[in-house]
Amino acid sequence: MTDDDKLGEHWWPKPLAHVRDVDPWADTDVVVAEIRSFDDSPHTGHRHVFSALVPVSDLAELEKNLARFEYGLQTSGPHPSASPSHPYTPKFWIEAEGPPRRTYEPLVLSWRSHDKTVLQLDPGFAMTYGLVPRHLGNGETRWDDPTAPIYDVASVSAPSVWDFPSGTTACVTVKRDYLRDYLTLRQMALVQVYWEMRWGRTDRAIETRLGGTEGVDIHLMDRRYALRRSWDDKAVIAAQVWGARVIAEPGALPISENALEKDGLIWPGYKEPVTDAMAMQMGVIDMVYVSDTVLAGYEGRPEFRVNPKSGSVGFGTQWTVGFCDRIGRDLIRLELKKLYEGCPPHITRDWHRHAVAPPSKTELVRMAKERDVGTRAEQLVFALVALGESLSRLAEAIPLAGLSPEDFVGLRRKALEYHGWWTFDNIEPIARHIPLALTEDGFLDRCMDLNKLVTEGLSEKSLRLVLRALGVPEEAVEKLRALKLLDSLLCMAQLAEQKGLELPRQGREVWQRLQRDGTEPAQPIERLFSLYELRVLAGHKASSRRERLTKELKRFNLTLGGVGSGYGLLLDGVYELVIHDLEAAKNKINAALAVRKPPASVVEHPKTPWKASTPSPAAKKQGQPHRKRRRDRRRPGPKSKEKPPWE
């Protein structure tokens, strides 16, 4: 007898040994049903798993012989025979042999039609937690709790399709906390029944069990085996197992019960756990500090409202984490009471995970000088808007009517101020928090978001119209894209201001001088060109990417040597320098527009020194007391010579 044989109830055939170590409850998303095929040699292997809800009152008796469970899930269909004397009742059950024979409720429903096997989450479970299906394009369905919101509470794959000798994988998973809560509410245990068939070569323990025969059946308390030799090679067996295991029993109520009512949470700066009742007694001076990394769970999701200026988060009319303000680069300060008042417990716990110790007075003074991403993003957005406004004024001065700021940069000040600048789809990505430990890929992705707003938002059509109206030859600009068109316009504005030329009226002369003499700096928006190059790098994984990244960052006066633990501070620098280029571009346009030659009607001529000037009538009156004109208060009437206004 081998050591494996001596284990008795613990013995598993080698091809099935992995089944012994399966622990579905160890995963956050628990597999409660599965159909899968395996590419074994010489033949395909298979696995079927389903889950039964067993009353706790039956559990002690069942655990004595879990092998009683029948394989799989039974149904009363599909396609039943019609019988007037026996009305049809659709049923699903998992059976345990007797005595006595018992049937149990499945957590996942299943049926087969032709070559497809459907898995479906039990509607009773979905109804209990108000889950709503969300269908993905690949046939998968996710079940969400929209009131929280909590996504992917359950996941149901597309049906399994059988194509001999194997089938596609189908699976259902449910979040562990919801399963625990459901079992406790219903006082049920979750029993998983499984069948698996795998192929493999025999070993000494298997040969001992076979005893020289072609096959053997082995019955244990919680499973039974069928070992069969292959027809082609007697040293290869098909090993099958039918069994059941208890994977969970009733316990806590992590979903239906609010643990904050009893246990509370210990927040940095507070010695005792803060419960709901304690939080409701707190005032406006009871503050906590949270890292803005907490915002990562809400940013980019349209159902949430994230204010990057304050750090507040809201979900429709359901709840809001408000009364916040930014402290320094990456902290959010808020009233502790507001994290309990009206917020779901899982949201309070989420913010608690990102809580940090309150800064000292010295640290607060230092942090007051730091800029957060919300401040930078707002300044960048309105610098872009201001550039559009300057370009619009230039077009009007040419004159080239009908071009608004929005026609140049795609943004309108009134709309941004009315709706909130951070709520626009093309702006929201640049206002997301910037972790210090930002990765290289994350850095380049954020640069790409900046480029989409700043560079790709420029209107090639409007810029070309302005340049043509200024007298720039068509062939000189016909192949230029938006960024180079803007650069050409800024070079002209820069030269016009330096030479005292009136750009709207003398554009042709300015262009000719620019082509002949150039201007300094030759590329006024160098950082915007570099931003575009960083966007190009984001889409490439070439081995030389780090070298090219270093080169482009030099144009921002930034070095990779300052990265430290991440690219967060580098991205801060990119924001600042892009803002600088946008504001400088606006100032160049405004300076060029400020150059005006005085009109001939107001040109002062030199006076003859020997001839006294005659004061004008207005000058004669200067210094005399002003005589107030008496107002005629009489109303027009029938006897008045003045006609009433309605005649």
Side-chain angles (χ1 to χ4, degrees):
M1 296 288 288
T2 66
D3 291 337
D4 282 333
D5 279 312
K6 294 176 182 178
L7 293 175
E9 288 285 336
H10 299 287
W11 180 77
W12 286 79
K14 186 177 179 180
L16 296 170
H18 60 278
V19 180
R20 171 188 55 203
D21 301 322
V22 172
D23 182 9
W25 200 253
D27 298 324
T28 303
D29 296 304
V30 180
V31 175
V32 292
E34 183 180 25
I35 299 173
R36 186 182 295 271
S37 295
F38 301 93
D39 293 329
D40 288 352
S41 178
H43 302 292
T44 305
H46 304 281
R47 175 190 295 163
H48 287 192
V49 175
F50 291 94
S51 298
L53 296 169
V54 175
V56 291
S57 57
D58 292 0
L59 193 58
E61 184 65 27
L62 278 174
E63 284 185 311
K64 296 176 182 177
N65 187 10
L66 287 170
R68 293 169 51 189
F69 276 97
E70 289 287 336
Y71 147 67
L73 185 146
Q74 311 296 318
T75 67
S76 59
H79 312 302
S81 301
S83 173
S85 59
H86 296 89
Y88 173 68
T89 303
K91 293 180 181 179
F92 301 87
W93 69 92
I94 293 175
E95 185 172 328
E97 294 178 345
R101 173 183 173 274
R102 294 177 180 175
T103 60
Y104 295 103
E105 174 187 348
L107 183 62
V108 174
L109 311 182
S110 178
W111 62 92
R112 183 171 182 175
S113 184
H114 187 47
D115 60 347
K116 296 179 176 61
T117 302
V118 177
L119 300 180
Q120 180 61 55
L121 184 67
D122 175 35
F125 176 86
M127 178 276 297
T128 300
Y129 298 103
L131 304 184
V132 175
R134 173 168 46 91
H135 303 289
L136 306 185
N138 59 357
E140 185 178 359
T141 300
R142 302 287 179 90
W143 291 81
D144 308 324
D145 178 0
T147 60
I150 297 178
Y151 295 91
D152 305 333
V153 173
S155 175
V156 181
S157 71
S160 174
V161 181
W162 176 256
D163 185 11
F164 182 83
S166 64
T168 60
T169 299
C171 183
V172 178
T173 62
V174 178
K175 286 195 179 298
R176 185 173 55 207
D177 282 350
Y178 278 81
L179 271 180
R180 174 74 77 188
D181 196 86
Y182 190 62
L183 296 176
T184 306
L185 286 174
R186 298 198 55 192
Q187 286 300 293
M188 296 279 194
L190 192 66
V191 176
Q192 199 166 84
V193 297
Y194 56 88
W195 164 74
E196 188 155 338
M197 176 181 177
R198 305 300 292 269
W199 293 80
R201 303 196 68 82
T202 62
D203 58 13
R204 182 180 301 177
I206 292 174
E207 288 292 352
T208 301
R209 295 285 184 171
L210 288 170
T213 65
E214 290 295 308
V216 64
D217 294 332
I218 302 171
H219 293 266
L220 303 174
M221 287 180 59
D222 61 347
R223 63 197 184 278
R224 58 187 188 275
Y225 300 128
L227 309 180
R228 301 290 186 268
R229 294 187 189 273
S230 169
W231 291 351
D232 303 322
D233 185 349
K234 300 304 180 182
V236 174
I237 63 161
Q240 297 185 71
V241 61
W242 295 263
R245 55 167 67 96
V246 180
I247 64 170
E249 298 181 38
L253 289 165
I255 306 302
S256 300
E257 190 174 73
N258 182 6
L260 300 182
E261 294 178 352
K262 298 185 301 182
D263 303 329
L265 296 169
I266 298 178
W267 293 84
Y270 293 82
K271 295 181 180 179
E272 297 181 358
V274 178
T275 63
D276 277 351
M278 292 174 61
M280 293 305 102
Q281 303 301 316
M282 292 182 172
V284 295
I285 63 171
D286 298 304
M287 313 293 284
V288 290
Y289 293 82
V290 178
S291 168
D292 68 354
T293 54
V294 70
L295 301 178
Y298 311 97
E299 292 169 333
R301 297 168 64 176
E303 64 272 27
F304 294 108
R305 304 184 313 276
V306 180
N307 187 328
K309 286 283 289 179
S310 66
S312 65
V313 177
F315 174 62
T317 58
Q318 302 281 355
W319 54 264
T320 299
V321 177
F323 294 86
C324 307
D325 63 315
R326 289 272 198 170
I327 300 295
R329 181 189 182 276
D330 44 24
L331 286 189
I332 301 171
R333 179 174 59 189
L334 68 161
E335 293 181 33
L336 183 53
K337 178 179 180 179
K338 300 304 178 183
L339 275 170
Y340 287 76
E341 191 176 51
C343 283
H346 76 278
I347 297 296
T348 307
R349 287 192 289 268
D350 182 35
W351 285 67
H352 175 262
R353 282 190 288 270
H354 297 267
V356 299
S360 66
K361 291 183 179 180
T362 304
E363 290 173 325
L364 286 174
V365 171
R366 174 183 57 80
M367 289 179 175
K369 302 175 184 178
E370 298 175 349
R371 283 158 55 88
D372 59 81
V373 67
T375 302
R376 289 191 175 98
E378 181 181 35
Q379 186 178 355
L380 189 149
V381 167
F382 284 100
L384 188 58
V385 171
L387 174 60
E389 291 168 343
S390 295
L391 290 168
S392 179
R393 286 195 296 273
L394 174 60
E396 186 178 357
I398 289 174
L400 185 63
L403 290 177
S404 67
E406 189 176 7
D407 292 323
F408 287 99
V409 297
L411 301 174
R412 184 160 49 92
R413 184 180 294 273
K414 286 187 177 180
L416 296 172
E417 292 174 344
Y418 181 80
H419 296 286
W421 59 267
W422 61 89
T423 62
F424 289 76
D425 291 341
N426 58 335
I427 297 176
E428 186 272 337
I430 75 161
R432 297 175 188 173
H433 84 288
I434 302 175
L436 285 173
L438 187 68
T439 63
E440 181 178 297
D441 286 338
F443 170 79
L444 291 173
D445 287 343
R446 292 296 292 268
C447 290
M448 187 161 57
D449 291 332
L450 275 176
N451 183 73
K452 284 180 181 178
L453 175 67
V454 177
T455 304
E456 296 180 17
L458 295 172
S459 170
E460 185 177 324
K461 176 183 176 182
S462 298
L463 290 168
R464 183 173 283 109
L465 282 173
V466 171
L467 285 167
R468 292 288 293 115
L470 288 172
V472 178
E474 183 176 355
E475 62 272 13
V477 295
E478 62 182 357
K479 294 183 179 180
L480 300 184
R481 305 296 293 270
L483 193 56
K484 289 189 177 180
L485 290 170
L486 177 62
D487 185 64
S488 299
L489 187 55
L490 292 173
C491 286
M492 291 180 69
Q494 182 175 269
L495 182 63
E497 192 272 334
Q498 290 170 354
K499 303 301 182 184
L501 296 173
E502 211 174 334
L503 182 60
R505 293 179 54 252
Q506 298 174 285
R508 189 181 302 276
E509 172 67 18
V510 172
W511 176 258
Q512 291 173 353
R513 290 199 187 191
L514 180 64
Q515 300 308 300
R516 185 179 67 245
D517 305 329
T519 184
E520 201 55 46
Q523 197 174 61
I525 47 172
E526 181 182 9
R527 276 70 173 263
L528 298 190
F529 281 97
S530 186
L531 181 65
Y532 176 81
E533 293 301 324
L534 290 174
R535 169 258 180 197
V536 174
L537 279 179
H540 295 80
K541 301 292 184 181
S543 57
S544 61
R545 188 170 81 166
R546 178 62 66 88
E547 181 181 344
R548 291 179 61 189
L549 176 59
T550 303
K551 178 182 176 182
E552 294 304 327
L553 287 175
K554 282 183 179 178
R555 297 170 73 177
F556 283 97
N557 295 323
L558 300 172
T559 59
L560 285 175
V563 171
S565 60
Y567 283 74
L569 294 178
L570 276 179
L571 187 58
D572 291 350
V574 171
Y575 272 67
E576 296 288 359
L577 293 168
V578 169
I579 292 168
H580 176 272
D581 267 18
L582 290 173
E583 292 181 341
K586 173 204 68 175
N587 292 337
K588 289 182 187 297
I589 299 292
N590 291 345
L593 287 172
V595 177
R596 289 286 190 274
K597 289 185 177 180
S601 59
V602 297
V603 174
E604 293 187 5
H605 298 282
K607 299 174 182 178
T608 307
W610 59 82
K611 185 177 180 181
S613 59
T614 305
S616 65
K620 291 179 180 180
K621 291 184 178 181
Q622 190 172 3
Q624 296 181 9
H626 175 65
R627 295 180 62 187
K628 189 173 182 181
R629 198 172 173 183
R630 184 174 179 182
R631 199 171 181 181
D632 190 354
R633 299 176 181 270
R634 292 177 299 172
R635 294 185 179 181
K639 295 181 180 180
S640 174
K641 294 180 180 180
E642 184 181 354
K643 290 185 179 181
W646 56 82
E647 290 188 8

